[in-house]
RNA sequence: GCGGCCGUGGCGGAAUGGUAGACGCGCAAGACUAAGGAUCUUGUGGGAGUAAUCCUGUGGAGGUUCAAGUCCUCUCGGCCGCACCA
C-alpha cells in the first residue's frame, strides 16, 4: 500500500500557499454576487474548544462552497474581547485584563489557523481596543440625541456574585445567567436603550426572516410578547381613587366578579392602610420563590381590602383584593377577575367564595365549577354583547368604551427596555460626565474615545474605575467646573450587537463602518447571508443585534433593516462522562479499560463509572482539547468527523472511535488518489485548491 | 400548563412521495505481521434457506395514494423553550 497521508507537511504547505496568495481576502466587487458568511465570534478565553471547531468548520464549508459557485465571499473573524473572565483572571492571578486578553487572542488565532479556515484575517479586530469601542461611544451619543438612549432610576436585577446589574434577558429562573446566584432587586440610576420603541418592528420583521429557524423566531416572538386588549378604569366605592385595569379578554367584562391588584401596586398599600394582616400578607408574597417550581406550586392567595369597585357598565359592586399572582410590571398591575373564563381567577374565586358568572358559552353549553372555559363560543348574560363571537365582542366593547371615553384599546408588550450599565472595569466606558450644575453631559466628540485607564488595581471589591481618581475626576465639558466621569461600562452585548457591520470596513477611523461598503455586503433587504452559532443566544444577542441594526439605520449609519438574513443554529457537542468511585468527575483520558474489559482509572486502577453523553463542560470534565485532535489526526479528519457524524443542527456526540474512523477515511481517500497517480507532476491536483 | 422539535439496525445517522438503512462506528471472517488494540479486504436490520431467493421491517393505531420513514388524524415516548403576562 502507499504512504500515509502526511498531515503536518500538507497542512503547513497549503496554509502557506493560501497566505502567500492572500487567498481569502476580498473587496467589494459589483461584478460578482456577494455572499457574507459569519460565525458568532469567539470570546478569547485562551484556547478554542470543540464547539468553536464545529461552528467554524460549518461556516468554512459554506464559505468555500459559495466561493466555488462564483460568489464574492466575505468570511471574517474577530474577538468578542470584553467580559468578566478577564477581570477574574486579574483578581485571581494579577494579570492585567488587556494583556491577558491579547495573549489569549494570539494563542487562539494560531489554533484557528491550524483548522485550515478560509478567513479574511485582514478584517480582524478585537472589541476591547479603542479603535473599536470609540465608535460605540459615538453611536451611544447619537442614540442619546435621538432619544434611543436615556437614563432613569429603576429597580434592577442585581447579581450579588458578579456585583453588577443584569438585563431582564440575562435573568433565568430568577438567577443570574452566568453565576446562577439569585438576583436581588436594587434601585439604581441606569442607562437604557429604548428597545421597546422597536417592539412592533422587531416582531413584524420576524415574518420576513424565512431563513431563520422557526424555533428562534418563536422564542423572540414570545419574548416580545405582544398582546392587544382594553385598558379602562373602575371607580372605588366611597373614595376618589380609580383603578386602571388592562385585559386581553374585554369580551368577558360582564362576568367580572372581583378586582385584583399586584402586591407592589402603588394603590395596594394605600387601600390596605391600617388593615390587619396586610403586612403579614405582603411578607407571605415575598417569601414565595421566583423559581419555576415555586411558581408552579404557589397557591393563589389574596388579601381582601374590604373595599368595593363599581362595574363600569352594570354598576354592580365587586370586592377589591390584593393578590399574589398579579404582576406589577405587566399591563397596569391590576385586573378584573372573571372566574368562569380564566383558570387563575377560577382558583381564586373558589378559594374566597366569589361568584362564577359564565358569559361565553359553547354550542353544547357548559357548567363551570373548578375548570375555567377558555374556548370559543357565543356571548351570553352580557346585554348588548349577547350572541356575538368572542372576537366580535372584543371589538364591540372596545368601541363602546372609546365612544363613552371610559377606556381605550391598547397594545402591550412583555419586552422591557435594555439596561446597558454595568458596574465593571473590562467594558466600554460610557462617555458621560456628571456635573453638579449641568447634569449628565455627553463627552464631546473631540475628546472621544474615552479610553480605559491601564493603571488599575483589583485589590478592592467592585469596579476599579470608581477608585481611580485621576481618570474619574475631570472638567465639565460645558461649564468647565470640576466633574466626574461615569464609571459604569456598557453591557458586553453592546459590542456583539454591531460587529457584523464593522467587518465591512474594520479599519475605518471616523465611522463605525463605511455606509457604501456596508451596503454592498449588507444591503437594505438583506444582511449577513449566513450566520451560524449556538441557539443559546436566541433572545439575547440575536434580539439585541436586530434592534441595534434598526437603531443604527435610523441614525443614518447603515441601510440594513435586519443584520442576519440567514441564521443557522448548530447543536452542542457532547461527550461521555466519567466518575471515579467517590463520585467525582474525571477526565475521559483518565478512564481506560483493563484486561477484563472493565472501565478503571488509568492511574489508580480503581473502578470508574460511565455516565450519559452530555454537553462538554469543564465542570463535568468531559472535554477534549481540539489542539490535540488537530495534532494527531489533522484538520481534514477533524472536520470530516464533525460534518459526517451528526446533522449540524443536532447534538454531536464526540467519540474517539468516530474521529479515528474519519482519519481512516481520509487515508483511504488519499490512498485512492495517490494510487491513481493523479498528483504526479501536478502538485495542485491534491489538497485544497480554493482559488 | 402553553408552544416547538424529534422517534429508522447494536450505536451516530442516510433516504426531491418512488429499490429503506448511504457513510462512519461496532461486530464477524480473512490477509499482512514476531506481535496487533496498527493497516487492508469482505460481510453485517430481523427471520427462513446450502443457495438463487422469499417473508418481514422506520415508536403504536388508523387514513390518503398506483406507491408512505416521508402527507393527514389520533396515541405513546424523549428533548428543548417559555411561563401566575391578565
Amino acid at each position: 500500500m502507499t504512504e500515509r497521508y502526511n498531515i503536518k507537511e500538507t497542512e503547513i504547505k497549503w496554509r502557506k500557499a493560501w497566505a502567500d496568495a492572500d487567498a481569502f481576502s476580498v473587496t467589494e466587487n459589483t461584478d460578482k454576487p456577494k455572499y457574507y458568511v459569519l460565525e458568532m465570534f469567539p470570546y478569547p478565553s485562551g484556547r478554542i474548544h470543540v464547539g468553536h471547531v464545529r461552528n467554524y468548520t460549518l461556516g468554512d464549508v459554506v464559505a468555500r462552497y459559495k466561493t466555488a459557485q462564483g460568489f464574492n465571499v466575505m468570511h471574517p473573524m474577530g474577538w468578542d474581547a470584553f467580559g468578566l473572565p478577564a477581570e477574574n483572571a486579574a483578581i485571581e492571578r494579577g494579570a492585567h485584563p488587556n494583556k491577558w486578553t491579547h495573549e489569549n487572542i494570539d494563542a487562539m488565532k494560531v489554533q484557528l489557523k491550524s483548522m485550515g479556515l478560509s478567513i479574511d484575517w485582514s478584517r480582524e479586530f478585537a472589541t476591547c481596543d479603542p479603535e473599536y469601542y470609540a465608535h460605540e461611544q459615538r453611536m451611544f451619543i447619537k442614540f442619546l440625541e435621538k432619544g434611543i438612549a436615556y437614563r432613569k432610576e429603576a429597580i434592577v436585577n442585581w447579581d450579588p456574585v458578579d456585583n453588577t446589574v443584569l438585563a431582564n434577558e440575562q435573568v433565568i429562573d430568577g438567577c443570574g445567567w452566568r453565576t446562577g446566584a439569585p438576583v436581588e432587586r436594587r434601585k439604581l440610576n441606569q442607562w437604557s436603550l429604548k428597545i421597546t420603541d422597536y417592539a412592533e418592528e422587531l416582531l413584524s420583521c420576524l415574518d420576513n426572516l424565512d431563513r431563520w429557524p422557526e424555533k428562534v423566531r418563536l422564542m423572540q416572538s414570545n419574548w416580545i410578547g405582544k398582546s392587544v386588549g382594553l385598558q379602562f378604569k373602575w371607580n372605588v366605592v366611597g373614595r376618589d381613587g380609580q383603578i386602571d385595569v388592562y385585559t386581553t379578554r374585554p369580551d368577558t367584562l360582564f362576568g367580572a366578579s372581583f378586582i385584583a391588584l399586584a402586591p407592589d401596586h402603588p394603590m395596594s398599600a394605600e387601600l390596605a392602610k391600617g388593615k390587619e394582616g396586610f403586612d403579614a400578607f405582603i411578607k407571605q408574597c415575598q417569601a414565595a420563590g421566583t423559581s419555576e417550581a415555586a411558581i408552579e406550586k404557589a397557591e393563589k392567595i389574596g388579601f381582601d381590602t374590604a373595599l368595593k369597585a363599581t362595574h363600569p357598565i352594570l354598576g354592580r359592586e365587586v370586592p377589591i383584593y390584593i393578590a399574589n399572582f398579579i404582576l406589577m410590571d405587566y399591563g397596569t398591575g391590576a385586573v378584573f377577575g372573571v372566574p368562569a373564563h380564566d383558570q387563575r381567577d377560577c382558583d381564586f374565586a373558589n378559594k374566597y367564595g366569589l361568584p362564577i358568572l359564565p358569559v361565553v358559552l359553547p354550542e353544547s353549553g357548559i357548567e363551570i365549577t373548578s375548570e375555567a372555559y377558555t374556548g370559543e363560543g357565543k356571548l351570553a348574560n352580557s346585554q348588548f354583547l349577547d350572541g356575538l363571537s368572542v372576537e366580535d365582542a372584543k371589538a364591540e366593547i372596545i368601541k363602546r368604551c372609546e365612544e363613552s371615553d371610559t377606556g381605550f384599546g391598547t397594545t402591550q408588550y412583555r419586552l422591557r427596555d435594555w439596561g446597558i450599565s454595568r458596574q465593571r472595569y473590562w467594558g466600554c466606558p460610557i462617555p458621560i460626565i456628571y456635573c453638579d450644575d449641568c447634569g449628565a453631559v455627553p463627552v464631546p466628540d473631540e475628546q472621544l474615545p474615552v479610553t480605559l485607564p491601564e493603571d488599575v488595581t483589583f485589590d478592592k471589591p467592585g469596579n476599579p474605575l470608581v477608585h481611580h481618581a485621576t481618570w474619574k475626576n475631570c472638567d465639565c465639558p460645558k461649564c468647565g467646573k470640576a466633574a466626574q466621569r461615569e464609571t459604569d461600562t456598557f453591557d458586553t452585548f453592546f459590542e456583539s450587537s454591531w460587529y457584523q457591520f464593522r467587518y465591512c470596513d474594520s479599519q475605518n477611523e471616523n465611522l463605525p463602518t463605511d455606509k457604501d461598503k456596508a451596503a454592498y455586503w449588507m444591503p437594505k433587504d438583506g444582511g449577513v447571508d449566513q450566520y451560524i452559532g449556538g441557539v443559546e443566544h436566541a433572545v439575547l444577542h440575536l434580539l439585541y443585534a436586530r434592534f441595534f441594526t434598526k437603531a443604527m439605520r435610523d441614525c443614518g449609519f447603515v441601510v440594513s433593516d435586519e443584520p442576519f438574513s440567514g441564521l443557522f443554529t448548530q447543536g452542542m457537542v457532547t461527550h461521555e462522562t466519567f466518575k471515579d468511585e467517590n463520585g467525582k468527575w474525571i477526565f475521559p483520558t483518565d478512564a481506560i479499560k483493563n484486561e477484563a474489559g472493565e472501565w478503571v482509572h488509568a492511574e489508580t486502577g480503581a473502578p470508574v463509572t460511565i455516565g450519559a453523553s452530555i454537553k462538554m463542560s469543564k465542570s463535568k470534565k468531559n472535554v477534549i482539547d481540539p489542539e490535540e485532535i488537530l495534532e494527531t489526526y489533522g484538520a481534514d479528519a477533524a472536520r470530516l468527523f464533525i460534518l459526517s457524524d451528526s446533522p449540524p443542527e443536532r447534538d454531536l456526540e464526540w467519540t474517539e472511535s468516530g474521529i479515528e474512523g474519519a482519519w481512516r477515511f481520509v487515508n483511504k481517500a488519499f490512498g485512492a488518489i495517490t494510487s491513481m497517480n493523479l498528483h504526479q507532476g501536478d502538485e495542485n491536483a491534491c489538497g485544497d485548491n480554493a482559488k
Side-chain angles (χ1 to χ4, degrees), chain A residues 8 116 506 591:
Chain A
K8 291 244 162 59
S506 66

Side-chain angles (χ1 to χ4, degrees), chain A residues 29-221:
Chain A
N29 176 357
T30 47
D31 295 338
K32 279 182 170 182
K34 68 93 190 179
Y35 201 90
Y36 185 176
V37 191
L38 185 64
E39 305 101 39
M40 291 183 184
F41 64 165
Y43 176 79
S45 59
R47 298 185 74 75
I48 59 170
H49 54 70
V50 183
H52 290 131
V53 179
R54 192 178 197 195
N55 196 177
Y56 302 133
T57 296
L58 291 171
D60 199 51
V61 167
V62 175
R64 287 176 184 272
Y65 176 66
K66 287 292 172 182
T67 301
Q69 281 188 319
F71 285 85
N72 191 35
V73 172
M74 171 157 75
H75 185 208
M77 181 62 69
W79 308 95
D80 189 16
F82 273 137
L84 271 175
E87 276 186 70
N88 291 337
I91 293 162
E92 287 161 20
R93 277 166 273 167
H96 191 280
N98 193 39
K99 187 165 174 279
W100 183 85
T101 302
H102 277 100
E103 281 172 2
N104 286 350
I105 288 173
D106 293 342
M108 287 175 76
K109 194 171 168 182
V110 170
Q111 292 189 306
L112 286 184
K113 287 197 168 180
S114 73
M115 284 178 61
L117 303 171
S118 61
I119 283 170
D120 179 359
W121 285 102
S122 71
R123 294 170 187 268
E124 178 191 11
F125 55 77
T127 61
C128 63
D129 293 335
E131 293 75 26
Y132 183 85
Y133 68 69
H135 302 290
E136 261 172 45
Q137 296 180 343
R138 292 206 173 86
M139 281 193 279
F140 174 75
I141 288 166
K142 188 83 179 171
F143 287 173
L144 273 178
E145 289 166 16
K146 282 266 185 182
I148 297 169
Y150 66 102
R151 185 167 179 252
K152 65 168 179 189
E153 186 170 64
I155 294 172
V156 297
N157 309 301
W158 181 265
D159 188 314
V161 174
D162 277 350
N163 281 314
T164 189
V165 164
L166 299 176
N168 290 324
E169 288 82 352
Q170 293 164 332
V171 179
I172 294 151
D173 278 353
C175 297
W177 71 301
R178 285 179 48 86
T179 63
V183 298
E184 296 167 11
R185 311 273 282 167
R186 285 201 186 180
K187 211 168 195 184
L188 283 180
N189 264 312
Q190 291 287 294
W191 291 99
S192 284
L193 297 186
K194 270 215 152 288
I195 191 170
T196 52
D197 276 0
Y198 291 84
E200 189 57 46
E201 195 190 344
L202 287 168
L203 183 67
S204 63
C205 286
L206 283 175
D207 292 338
N208 307 328
L209 296 175
D210 56 342
R211 291 198 298 115
W212 276 44
E214 190 57 40
K215 181 183 171 179
V216 175
R217 289 198 278 173
L218 193 76
M219 282 166 73
Q220 291 212 352
S221 171

Side-chain angles (χ1 to χ4, degrees), chain A residues 273-288:
Chain A
K273 198 184 261 174
K275 290 193 172 131
E276 205 178 317
F278 178 65
D279 291 342
F281 170 75
I282 293 294
K283 278 217 180 75
Q284 204 184 337
C285 290
Q286 286 167 345

Side-chain angles (χ1 to χ4, degrees), chain A residues 505-516:
Chain A
D505 187 21
S506 66
Q507 307 305 314
N508 197 316
E509 287 177 20
N510 304 313
L511 288 166
T513 192
D514 179 89
K515 205 170 172 179
D516 293 332

